[in-house]
């Protein structure tokens, strides 16, 4: 389950000291010493109760530059502020704003805009620190990644792990493709500092949204630009595009890219028999997820042909 890290270091560290420490040591959440080291420095940064406010004021006043390669007031979303961008190590750091129901931003945008009430996992490990305010409440779940083949509608055994509040000073380790949570608005405006682990293959790692009551996958997330490029190439035609799509469908390490390749090939023909042949080949490509999707597509195609 998501793990509350028991850190009790009263030392205060600046943002620059934090970056130097994590960059020099590295951040590997699979290794206990590295994980504890990162959590300790995140707590030290969080012990500085004024650094974030001072940084925002300086940036708004033009007295402090934004982090290289990021719009500091946009970050990875309208509610996030990028503090440390990828490139200084295998991590990035952001401050995540969690508005309360009484805040004007919440009233104007609604809870869905901030991800409240939506069960989801992540395709990365992260350490979340409650920095300001009472913190959001989340319902925590856990699942077995190896038992999931990632297709919409698939049943998933989500094991309840109880509620958790990201209160000020608390650090929680969320594991990639293992921990699922449903976040709820805090009692008042809150801020979390998120230290996110990055790795080269992360773009190919899926993450999902879930229906807790039904115990099913409702959405598969994590699409990258390579998928769009492949669809466009196949649609434009050419033997090389068809060849690479065929090879990707049979052997690409990402199941999601395999499915995109087969979908591009099937979409490239108006002949129902040829589309069925494509999905029949996809069933034999060696991926459980792709095979399940291929059977679903063949069934949908057969149903359409029957009704017409």
């Amino acid at each position: 389950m998501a793990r509350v890290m028991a850190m009790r270091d009263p030392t205060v560290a600046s943002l620059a000291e934090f970056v130097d420490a994590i960059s020099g040591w590295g951040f590997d959440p699979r290794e206990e010493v590295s994980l504890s080291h990162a959590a300790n420095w995140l707590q030290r940064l969080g012990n500085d109760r004024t650094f974030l406010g001072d940084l925002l004021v300086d940036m708004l006043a033009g007295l402090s530059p934004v982090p290289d390669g990021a719009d500091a007031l946009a970050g990875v979303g309208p509610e996030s502020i990028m503090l440390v961008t990828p490139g200084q190590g295998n991590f990035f750091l952001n401050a995540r704003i969690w508005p309360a129901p009484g805040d004007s931003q919440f009233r104007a945008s609604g809870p869905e805009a901030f991800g409240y009430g939506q069960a989801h996992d992540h395709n990365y490990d992260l350490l979340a620190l409650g920095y300001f305010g009472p913190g959001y409440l989340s319902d925590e779940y856990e699942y077995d990644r190896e038992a999931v083949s990632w297709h919409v509608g698939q049943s998933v055994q989500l094991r309840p792990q109880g509620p958790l509040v990201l209160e000020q000073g608390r650090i929680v380790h969320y594991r990639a493709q293992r921990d699922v949570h449903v976040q709820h608005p805090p009692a008042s405006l809150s801020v979390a500092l998120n230290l996110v682990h990055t790795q080269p293959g992360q773009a190919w790692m899926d993450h999902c949204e879930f229906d807790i009551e039904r115990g099913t996958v409702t959405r598969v997330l994590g699409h990258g630009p390579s998928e769009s490029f492949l669809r466009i190439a196949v649609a434009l035609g050419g033997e090389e595009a068809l060849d690479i799509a065929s090879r990707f469908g049979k052997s690409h390490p990402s199941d999601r890219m395999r499915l995109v390749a087969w979908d591009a090939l099937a979409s490239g023909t108006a002949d129902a028999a040829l589309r069925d042949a494509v999905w029949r080949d996809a069933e034999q490509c060696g991926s459980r997820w792709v095979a399940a999707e291929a059977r679903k597509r063949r069934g949908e195609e057969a149903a359409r042909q029957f009704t017409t």
Side-chain angles (χ1 to χ4, degrees):
M1 64 174 290
R3 172 185 174 188
V4 176
M5 305 289 293
M7 313 304 296
R8 292 178 172 79
D9 188 343
T11 308
V12 175
S14 68
L15 181 60
E17 290 171 331
F18 167 84
V19 172
D20 287 343
I22 305 300
S23 297
W25 188 289
F27 177 33
D28 185 352
R30 299 163 300 182
E31 204 278 312
E32 183 64 26
V33 174
S34 179
L35 179 66
S36 296
H37 175 267
N40 188 63
W41 277 96
L42 183 60
Q43 183 181 55
R44 290 180 177 183
L45 178 63
N47 289 340
D48 186 339
R49 306 305 308 149
T50 63
F51 95 92
L52 182 57
D54 291 344
L55 179 63
L56 294 179
V57 169
D58 286 348
M59 286 192 293
L60 289 170
L63 300 176
S64 177
V66 301
D68 290 339
D71 180 343
L73 298 182
V76 295
E79 70 287 345
S80 295
I81 302 165
M82 186 68 75
L83 302 177
V84 182
T85 59
Q88 301 187 61
N90 58 341
F91 67 95
F92 68 82
L93 177 75
N94 67 37
R96 174 72 183 264
I97 312 300
W98 296 98
D103 294 322
S104 58
Q105 189 178 18
F106 184 102
R107 296 197 304 270
S109 302
E112 295 82 6
F114 306 101
Y116 292 135
Q118 177 59 65
H120 64 281
D121 66 350
H122 299 279
N123 63 347
Y124 49 77
D125 281 68
L126 73 90
L127 289 173
L129 165 71
Y131 181 73
F132 173 82
Y136 60 75
L137 167 69
S138 61
D139 301 319
E140 300 292 328
Y141 300 84
E142 182 178 300
Y143 73 100
D144 182 5
R145 169 66 181 86
E146 299 303 318
V148 180
S149 56
W150 301 123
H151 63 272
V152 173
Q154 181 190 9
S155 296
V156 180
Q157 185 180 4
L158 297 169
R159 299 182 293 274
Q161 303 295 312
L164 187 152
V165 177
L166 192 67
E167 60 191 26
Q168 185 174 309
R170 172 172 284 177
I171 298 177
V172 179
H173 174 210
Y174 289 103
R175 299 168 298 174
Q177 298 182 315
R178 291 284 300 280
D179 297 315
V180 173
H181 55 187
V182 184
Q183 292 155 308
H184 305 287
S188 62
L189 182 71
S190 298
V191 180
L193 300 181
N194 293 330
L195 175 61
V196 178
H197 176 247
T198 61
Q199 56 180 318
Q202 188 171 304
W204 300 110
M205 296 172 63
D206 297 311
H207 55 120
C208 291
E209 293 178 352
F210 304 89
D211 184 319
I212 295 296
E213 292 185 1
R214 293 191 173 121
T216 58
V217 175
T218 58
R219 189 180 176 197
V220 179
L221 306 168
H223 298 280
S226 296
E227 299 171 19
S228 297
F229 295 159
L230 183 62
R231 290 182 187 276
I232 294 170
V234 172
L236 291 174
E239 291 301 319
E240 290 186 3
L242 296 175
D243 177 66
I244 195 171
S246 179
R247 287 190 285 112
F248 276 15
K250 295 174 182 176
S251 60
H252 198 281
S254 166
D255 283 348
R256 192 175 70 241
M257 180 56 96
R258 288 194 188 195
L259 181 60
V260 168
W262 291 116
D263 190 46
L265 290 169
S267 300
T269 177
D271 187 285
L274 291 178
R275 286 197 300 272
D276 184 72
V278 169
W279 289 119
R280 188 168 60 247
D281 288 344
E283 286 188 68
Q284 308 302 319
C285 76
S287 164
R288 288 186 301 163
W289 178 38
V290 173
E293 283 291 326
R295 286 191 293 271
K296 177 181 175 183
R297 304 292 181 91
R298 292 187 71 194
E300 292 171 349
E301 184 71 34
R304 279 195 297 270
Q305 295 301 315
F306 179 78
T307 56
T308 57

